[in-house]
Amino acid sequence: MSRLNNNSLSQLPKDVALPKYDRAHLVPGIVHLGIGAFHRAHQAFYTEAVLNQFGGDWGIIGSSLRSPSVRDQLVPQDCLYTLVERSGDGEKLQIIGAVTDTLVGPENPAALVATMAQPNIKIVSLTVTEKGYCHDPASGNLNENHPDIIHDLQHLDKPVSAIGFIVAALKQRFENNQKAFTVLSCDNLPNNGEVLEKVVLQFAQKISPAFAGWIKSNATFPSTMIDRIVPATTDDDRRDIEARLSINGEPVRDEGMVVCEPFSQWVVEDKFADGRPAWEKVGVLLVDDVRVFEKIKLRLLNGAHSTMAYTGYLSGFQYISEVMEQPAFVNLVKTYMAREAGETISAPAGFAIEAYKQQLRDRFSNKALKHRTWQIAMDGSQKLPQRLLETLREQLAGNGNIDILCLGVAAWIRYVSGVDEQGNAIEVSDPLAKELRAACDANQGNPAGMVKAVVGIQKVFGSDLINEARFVATTTQWLERFYSKGVFNSIKDAFQ
Ligand code: CS2
């Protein structure tokens, strides 16, 4: 079996869309930190659209800050990969060519820093997930006790964290009197640009105030709202696509392919230090203020996602589309969007918010996407603050509806206890997994004690929420119900 590469392009089946420009003319202008499936289906897709429709030469150097697997998938195939859009209407295949190389941070950190410091690099973008910011989610401050930050402050010549890489590369530019770059956060955090700027400046300040001052006045940190549902690629996906790419009956293997939904959205604050691709020509919304878009998306989409992930997983559903086949869950999601989340949102003029909510429910119901509840359930300690807890604080302040927010928090506590309703272990993937498990174990059989212990973790809940009696009581009631009659039955009783 052959492998997708530059030579196979011209022979691929006619219904596979190909790069329409000469890849040899690309000049890397972007280094992306964290080249996972999301980047390949989102920012690289938009840059590809600019290249296809309007030319230019913006190439992307991808990098992984953890494992070499994406490099091993992409480099042997000239960094080409297939983007597969799936919905009930079928499947659309496109080969993306915008990525020119892929580096692995841990293998040679100095090489990645040097690449980021090259004058042709104008943007360093990142998708490193919430926990990659090494900040305290409740306060937004750099977590100086984070092992990666401790390491990087001592060894900035070989950083391990995204923050360390950014600071190290900016430092070389500062020392060489070069221009700064734009640092473009593409993670699901409210005000992600501000969050990133804060941790980068706090880190740089520890090196020298003059350097931190230079970053502040020269680098820019636009905030962005990113949206596209991109489940992790599976071996079944790779096998299916092999056949779809076959040349003269011989399958073509693509190890780097990604699957996504047709929908995508990107809203970007337009403040770039040294230029950018003409993304506005291909549907990206360049605006002065992203916050309202980010709030709408995080609360309606991601808040619903996390709530469905914990309750759905515990009810025995593997995929989000299966959860959406249950009338009680549909009603739960509708109510949450109208009430708990919806009441805290004022959409900008012209934004059809009801249509947006319906479209979200349709997207969740896309059966062609195998989006695992377990995947979304990951890293809840990093996600809950912006997905549910900020909404909760607003609702508490106005004495408003908090029921489904408490249900979501209770389901998360039930999930991080680490044992499902059949007594099987749950593989909880979360940087605080041990601490959360210990808090639950110390209160076995005592839902009220579990809630107090978990909500007492200030890194997640701040110091205020433990004192909110209505929140603690409602969350405890849900957790009691979950333990006495099961999660699915509790939801059916309340929402069917
Ligand atoms: C999901 C998101 O995994 C998760 O936590 O909620 O990745 C979600 O699919 C994206 O934000 C959609 O844009």
Side-chain angles (χ1 to χ4, degrees), residues 188 226-229 297 301-302 305 371 376 383 387:
N188 274 320
I226 42 129
D227 190 7
R228 187 166 226 184
I229 295 177
K297 191 255 171 175
L301 189 158
N302 299 107
H305 243 179
H371 200 190
I376 301 167
K383 292 174 175 172
R387 294 185 178 199

Side-chain angles (χ1 to χ4, degrees), residues 300-369:
L300 291 175
L301 189 158
N302 299 107
H305 243 179
S306 289
T307 306
M308 282 192 283
Y310 301 116
T311 51
Y313 181 97
L314 291 163
S315 301
F317 299 113
Q318 203 184 347
Y319 303 118
I320 288 291
S321 63
E322 293 173 346
V323 176
M324 290 299 287
E325 280 174 41
Q326 301 299 325
F329 276 104
V330 174
N331 198 18
L332 163 70
V333 170
K334 267 191 184 158
T335 314
Y336 164 80
M337 287 181 175
R339 219 172 57 185
E340 279 79 350
E343 287 166 358
T344 65
I345 286 166
S346 36
F351 190 105
I353 190 85
E354 291 312 315
Y356 178 84
K357 291 178 190 168
Q358 183 55 51
Q359 184 186 38
L360 283 181
R361 292 190 289 269
D362 294 343
R363 291 169 62 196
F364 294 155
S365 304
N366 181 350
K367 288 198 189 53
L369 281 189

